[in-house]
Amino acid sequence: MIAPEVLGWLSLASAGFGSFFLALKNSWVWDVVLVAFGVRALAALFHFYVAPLPDGTADAISFEAQAWEWARAGLWSALSAFPGIDSYFYAWCAALIYALTDRSLLLLQSINVFAGVLGVLVTWMVARELWGERAARKVAWVMALFPMVVQYGALPMREVWFVLFFMVGALGAIRWARGGGATAMGLTVGGFVAATFFHGGAIVGLLGFFGVLGAGAFRRWWAGVARGRLRVVASLAILGVLGLAVAYVVTGVSIHKLGTAEQMVSTERWMFYFESRVVGGARYPEWTQPQGATDFIWAVPLRAAYLLFAPFPWDLREPALVIGLIDALFYLALVVLVWRGRRAIWNDPGGRMLFLILVPLIFAYGVGTGNFGTGLRHRAKFAGALIALAAPHLPRLIWWRRSVPSSRSAAVPRELAAR
């Protein structure tokens, strides 16, 4: 057996070679890819050798310990522990790796480092699909260096995988909005379903995608009916969506995180999601908790705002929350830039599709988040989508600038300049 530390270093080197290969294949962002790997690798090594990263002491330890618990009895035992769509699905994937190799925290970190680099690359592809190469390059740089995104690409946690597959689904959805096609549909469904395994809330993104498709089909069908025509494809699409909705109500099938149709309209169930199971200074203020169904009108938007922008200055009850405050400023800037570009986003079919998928997800995760630590992780899931939407107004990153003589000094003869 290879020593765990050596195994970790070999894995990190493999992630480096993989990133170098991706850089060679994508010349527009070769430097971004290498920097994305470098900062994540350094963060992983810092966490492994120096001190835990800010969010590296709770779930990161729990997932890694559970992975080893499943793996120590062998591969077959690990396979039989398959949890399905569950918060420990990532731990199960890590258990399969441990069962085939050995226990090595740096190994899991290295795999996530490479997944983080892939996430940067897919986010660049999403932005390129929306706005072109120049804007996409800015997006790639911001995604590569975004602090919390870097952190989750260096820890044994599931966020980096959610981001990767969510952005794959977003890429497919944008391509579908632009031109349709079976490949785009497969990419969308596959990406969102894979993201759902790492966190069940991603199913809202898939439902949002189908909701946009259904609304578009209804609009085309109604326009045809108004002209005395019946659009067959639009009619079939509407029947398909209605059929799925009826089946969901009648059969009592349960959707992960949403439950059955009966549970979907249950006030008690939604009150349960609003409740925070965390005590201490990281818990949201009590006044953000609705007391009844009528309070949902203000509580849902408020929780969405807390998800993106909290902790606010009045919430700083612990020194550690300052990290969250700094992180929130990044999201505030992104939302302002998205607002500035709202017309361009809405007028573009792909941008509108991504926006209509993202907004329900933010509201859904806002409802289910009741503390600042969880909010920090959940909003990192949507950083790539927000950065991509904000691309037209992102500032350019300039590492150096050549000195260019002014027109006045350039017009002075060399002899006079020498005097």
Side-chain angles (χ1 to χ4, degrees):
M1 276 290 183
I2 303 175
E5 191 169 348
V6 175
L7 180 62
W9 274 100
L10 289 174
S11 303
L12 192 60
S14 299
F17 281 121
S19 300
F20 182 71
F21 176 78
L22 291 175
L24 291 178
K25 289 292 185 180
N26 298 277
S27 58
W28 262 87
V29 287
W30 68 270
D31 49 348
V32 185
V33 171
L34 295 180
V35 169
F37 166 77
V39 294
R40 283 157 179 77
L42 288 174
L45 292 173
F46 182 90
H47 177 78
F48 188 77
Y49 285 108
V50 182
L53 294 172
D55 205 13
T57 58
D59 285 353
I61 295 175
S62 177
F63 286 143
E64 194 276 338
Q66 184 61 67
W68 177 241
E69 184 66 27
W70 281 335
R72 63 195 309 174
L75 180 60
W76 179 252
S77 176
L79 285 169
S80 63
F82 176 66
I85 300 176
D86 184 81
S87 59
Y88 276 87
F89 177 77
Y90 168 74
W92 179 76
C93 294
L96 299 183
I97 297 170
Y98 273 179
L100 293 171
T101 56
D102 198 358
R103 188 178 191 179
S104 171
L105 173 62
L106 189 56
L107 165 65
L108 296 185
Q109 289 180 271
S110 301
I111 294 172
N112 277 16
V113 164
F114 188 64
V117 174
L118 288 174
V120 171
L121 200 60
V122 177
T123 303
W124 165 69
M125 295 170 67
V126 167
R128 184 179 60 175
E129 199 79 26
L130 290 174
W131 314 113
E133 290 284 8
R134 189 176 297 275
R137 182 171 167 82
K138 294 190 295 183
V139 167
W141 272 118
V142 176
M143 188 67 174
L145 300 173
F146 204 88
M148 284 301 163
V149 174
V150 171
Q151 176 189 228
Y152 292 119
L155 292 174
M157 298 178 70
R158 53 186 171 157
E159 273 67 29
V160 66
W161 294 98
F162 181 100
V163 170
L164 174 59
F165 290 117
F166 173 72
M167 295 310 293
V168 168
L171 180 63
I174 292 168
R175 289 179 176 175
W176 173 268
R178 290 283 176 80
T183 303
M185 177 63 73
L187 203 62
T188 305
V189 175
F192 285 136
V193 169
T196 300
F197 274 91
F198 289 96
H199 199 282
I203 193 67
V204 176
L206 185 60
L207 294 177
F209 171 71
F210 284 121
V212 173
L213 294 190
F218 180 80
R219 179 172 52 83
R220 291 190 297 272
W221 176 82
W222 183 257
V225 170
R227 296 188 182 95
R229 302 173 182 174
L230 186 62
R231 295 179 179 269
V232 177
V233 175
S235 300
L236 292 176
I238 293 172
L239 289 175
V241 172
L242 289 176
L244 290 174
V246 170
Y248 175 58
V249 173
V250 173
T251 61
V253 65
S254 178
I255 298 176
H256 188 68
K257 291 290 185 182
L258 299 179
T260 64
E262 183 179 357
Q263 291 171 331
M264 279 279 288
V265 296
S266 170
T267 302
E268 290 75 15
R269 182 179 177 84
W270 287 107
M271 291 292 292
F272 172 80
Y273 278 130
F274 271 104
E275 292 176 0
S276 174
R277 267 76 63 186
V278 174
V279 297
R283 182 188 177 103
Y284 282 178
E286 290 293 337
W287 54 268
T288 65
Q289 172 71 36
Q291 303 302 313
T294 56
D295 292 340
F296 291 174
I297 298 173
W298 59 262
V300 173
L302 177 64
R303 283 297 188 91
Y306 254 80
L307 173 68
L308 290 177
F309 310 128
F312 296 99
W314 56 82
D315 296 317
L316 297 181
R317 298 184 292 270
E318 296 179 356
L321 294 180
V322 175
I323 297 174
L325 176 62
I326 296 171
D327 181 63
L329 294 177
F330 287 102
Y331 288 91
L332 178 61
L334 288 176
V335 170
V336 169
L337 294 179
V338 170
W339 174 256
R340 287 182 61 188
R342 62 191 182 279
R343 289 188 179 87
I345 292 170
W346 194 257
N347 291 332
D348 182 87
R352 184 166 61 247
M353 173 67 81
L354 180 56
F355 181 81
L356 291 175
I357 289 172
L358 181 61
V359 169
L361 276 167
I362 291 174
F363 278 99
Y365 275 85
V367 169
T369 303
N371 67 87
F372 303 115
T374 305
L376 201 72
R377 292 199 300 274
H378 283 339
R379 67 189 180 205
K381 294 177 170 68
F382 311 120
L386 283 171
I387 296 168
L389 287 174
H393 295 282
L394 285 174
R396 290 180 61 193
L397 294 175
I398 301 175
W399 301 107
W400 64 84
R401 181 189 294 274
R402 294 178 180 178
S403 58
V404 179
S406 65
S407 58
R408 182 178 177 182
S409 62
V412 177
R414 186 176 301 176
E415 295 80 1
L416 294 178
R419 295 180 185 178

